[in-house]
Amino acid sequence: MADSKQLASGAASHAETHSAKHATPGTYVAVLGALAVLTLIELTVVYIPFLGQFLLVAIAIAKAWLVLQFYMHLRYERKILTWIFLLPAIAVGILTVIMQFFV
Amino acid sequence: MQQETTLSKVASHAPVVAEHGADHAEQHADHLKMASFTYSIENSKMAMWLFLASEMFLFSVLIIAYIIARYAHPEEHAQLNVPLTSINTFILLLSSFSVVWALSGVQTGNQTRLLRGLAGVIGLGSLFFLLMMYEYSELSHHGITLAHPFGMAFYALTGLHGAHVLIGLVWAVYVFNRAFNGVYTKDNYWGVEFWGLYWHFVDVVWIFIFTVVYLL
């Protein structure tokens, strides 16, 4: 009985520490606003020839970064998790850029 | 005489010392259990991120295949319904917000916010999927089918994403059912968090699909 009580209180303190490191609801709302604004910007820069393409890719990366950092909490997690996701993403990015030369 | 008194004092303290020792051993065992619990959560989280990283390679191969097909068939690309998918993009972004809203609810012990957030994701995710199906039927009427090289690349990429949305929805219903039965508390919300990571990843993939497939 004492075991389960202490384990529960230990888990609670662990959860508190964990949630304390998470973003606040205000941050979640601000990120949603930023994502919506960036999407609207995307729909306008699509008409800019050549430069528009670079802007679209840059905005998509910025939007994905916001979701990863704040909604997926990478900002508040151990750095190893960021690298687990970032290194393959960089590899994929390089691969996609190389492929452009063969299209 | 003095020795006898000391010995009797020691003897009288022995049960107290033994009890204290047992308490200490119990606390030590609890700390070990707690450490094991934390490791288990952290390992599961790392496994989830490794899975998501592997998923990224799967989607990137299909994105590259689509880019090749898109430049080879620019006239088919022009038939894609950008306004409809723009609405779908906002729906999916809103569903991601609903996930973190639900998660912040359970983390603060607010079960109502948890259930409303989960119901929001199920509703928005279903709407996304239905609009995707409508888009498919519209495109097939314009002759963009699986038999066409552009259609094959387009449907493979967006269809795989749609399948992920569907899996995420089934998972969401399972999480909702558990939340409704009071399984998740502010001390135990990992089931919501892991499903949330998957759903956000589906959103991140869509961010790139929307840009590469529809806007570029």
Side-chain angles (χ1 to χ4, degrees), chain A residues 12-24:
Chain A
S13 67
H14 173 79
E16 271 166 28
T17 319
H18 195 74
S19 62
K21 286 192 289 177
H22 279 182
T24 60

Side-chain angles (χ1 to χ4, degrees), chain B residues 130-150:
Chain B
L130 287 173
L131 284 176
M132 197 184 90
M133 289 297 108
Y134 172 75
E135 183 202 10
Y136 278 11
S137 72
E138 203 181 40
L139 287 174
S140 67
H141 282 113
H142 287 104
I144 299 174
T145 61
L146 275 171
H148 195 280
F150 175 84

Side-chain angles (χ1 to χ4, degrees), chain A residues 3 6 18 22 42 77 92, chain B residues 30 33 45 60 107 211:
Chain A
D3 266 13
Q6 279 200 325
H18 195 74
H22 279 182
E42 271 187 311
E77 297 284 1
V92 162
Chain B
D30 286 338
K33 275 185 191 171
K45 200 175 276 182
S60 64
Q107 282 171 343
T211 302

Side-chain angles (χ1 to χ4, degrees), chain A residues 2-4 6-8 10-16 18-19 22-23 25 28-29 32 35-37 39-40 42-43 46 52-54 56-57 59-61 63-64 67-68 70-74 77-78 80-81 84-86 88-89 91-92 95-96 99-100 103, chain B residues 26-27 29-30 33-34 37-38 41-43 45-46 49-50 52-53 56-57 60-61 63-64 67-68 70-72 82 86 89-90 93-94 96-97 100-101 103-104 107 113 186-190 193 196-198 200-201 203-204 207-208 210-211 214-216:
Chain A
D3 266 13
S4 60
Q6 279 200 325
L7 193 60
S13 67
H14 173 79
E16 271 166 28
H18 195 74
S19 62
H22 279 182
Y28 293 143
V29 175
L32 177 68
L35 289 169
V37 168
T39 307
L40 288 172
E42 271 187 311
L43 293 170
V46 75
Q53 294 203 341
F54 288 101
L56 282 172
V57 174
I59 293 169
I61 292 169
K63 281 167 70 182
V67 175
L68 285 160
F70 294 99
Y71 284 2
M72 296 174 88
H73 306 125
L74 271 183
E77 297 284 1
R78 290 173 297 157
I80 183 83
L81 296 183
I84 282 175
F85 199 77
L86 200 61
V92 162
L95 196 67
T96 312
M99 279 305 295
Q100 297 285 331
V103 172
Chain B
E26 203 175 284
Q27 276 185 351
D30 286 338
K33 275 185 191 171
M34 191 54 229
F37 171 77
T38 309
I41 294 297
E42 291 304 319
N43 285 345
K45 200 175 276 182
M46 188 176 276
W49 277 101
L50 283 167
L52 296 179
M56 191 162 48
F57 280 104
S60 64
V61 168
I63 285 175
I64 290 167
I67 291 170
I68 294 166
R70 181 242 183 279
Y71 283 107
V82 177
S86 301
T89 302
F90 283 110
L93 290 176
L94 209 55
S96 255
F97 171 75
V100 286
W101 197 247
L103 185 65
S104 73
Q107 282 171 343
R113 197 200 288 179
K186 66 176 179 178
D187 308 326
N188 170 31
Y189 51 81
W190 316 110
E193 191 172 9
L197 282 176
Y198 175 85
H200 292 311
F201 174 75
D203 188 18
V204 168
I207 285 171
F208 287 105
F210 179 60
T211 302
Y214 296 92
L215 298 183
L216 283 179

Side-chain angles (χ1 to χ4, degrees), chain B:
Chain B
M1 190 67 180
Q2 258 188 343
Q3 262 187 333
E4 271 178 28
T5 319
T6 314
L7 278 172
S8 68
K9 271 185 184 172
V10 169
S12 68
H13 275 91
V16 181
V17 171
E19 199 182 326
H20 181 74
D23 275 354
H24 183 74
E26 203 175 284
Q27 276 185 351
H28 190 64
D30 286 338
H31 280 299
L32 281 175
K33 275 185 191 171
M34 191 54 229
S36 155
F37 171 77
T38 309
Y39 271 121
S40 162
I41 294 297
E42 291 304 319
N43 285 345
S44 304
K45 200 175 276 182
M46 188 176 276
M48 188 68 193
W49 277 101
L50 283 167
F51 165 69
L52 296 179
S54 71
E55 285 270 283
M56 191 162 48
F57 280 104
L58 181 65
F59 276 105
S60 64
V61 168
L62 291 175
I63 285 175
I64 290 167
Y66 172 81
I67 291 170
I68 294 166
R70 181 242 183 279
Y71 283 107
H73 303 276
E75 64 281 0
E76 277 79 9
H77 175 261
Q79 292 188 36
L80 296 179
N81 193 337
V82 177
L84 182 74
T85 43
S86 301
I87 293 167
N88 247 357
T89 302
F90 283 110
I91 288 170
L92 211 56
L93 290 176
L94 209 55
S95 76
S96 255
F97 171 75
S98 201
V99 171
V100 286
W101 197 247
L103 185 65
S104 73
V106 72
Q107 282 171 343
T108 52
N110 189 338
Q111 292 290 326
T112 313
R113 197 200 288 179
L114 167 67
L115 288 171
R116 280 183 184 167
L118 290 171
V121 178
I122 294 166
L124 290 164
S126 303
L127 189 60
F128 175 90
F129 193 77
L130 287 173
L131 284 176
M132 197 184 90
M133 289 297 108
Y134 172 75
E135 183 202 10
Y136 278 11
S137 72
E138 203 181 40
L139 287 174
S140 67
H141 282 113
H142 287 104
I144 299 174
T145 61
L146 275 171
H148 195 280
F150 175 84
M152 197 168 67
F154 172 81
Y155 290 121
L157 175 59
T158 55
L160 183 73
H161 180 265
H164 276 72
V165 170
L166 208 56
I167 292 166
L169 277 173
V170 173
W171 194 351
V173 171
Y174 171 76
V175 171
F176 182 86
N177 184 47
R178 280 170 69 86
F180 190 75
N181 289 318
V183 172
Y184 304 116
T185 61
K186 66 176 179 178
D187 308 326
N188 170 31
Y189 51 81
W190 316 110
V192 183
E193 191 172 9
F194 290 160
W195 158 75
L197 282 176
Y198 175 85
W199 191 267
H200 292 311
F201 174 75
V202 171
D203 188 18
V204 168
V205 171
W206 180 256
I207 285 171
F208 287 105
I209 289 178
F210 179 60
T211 302
V212 174
V213 174
Y214 296 92
L215 298 183
L216 283 179

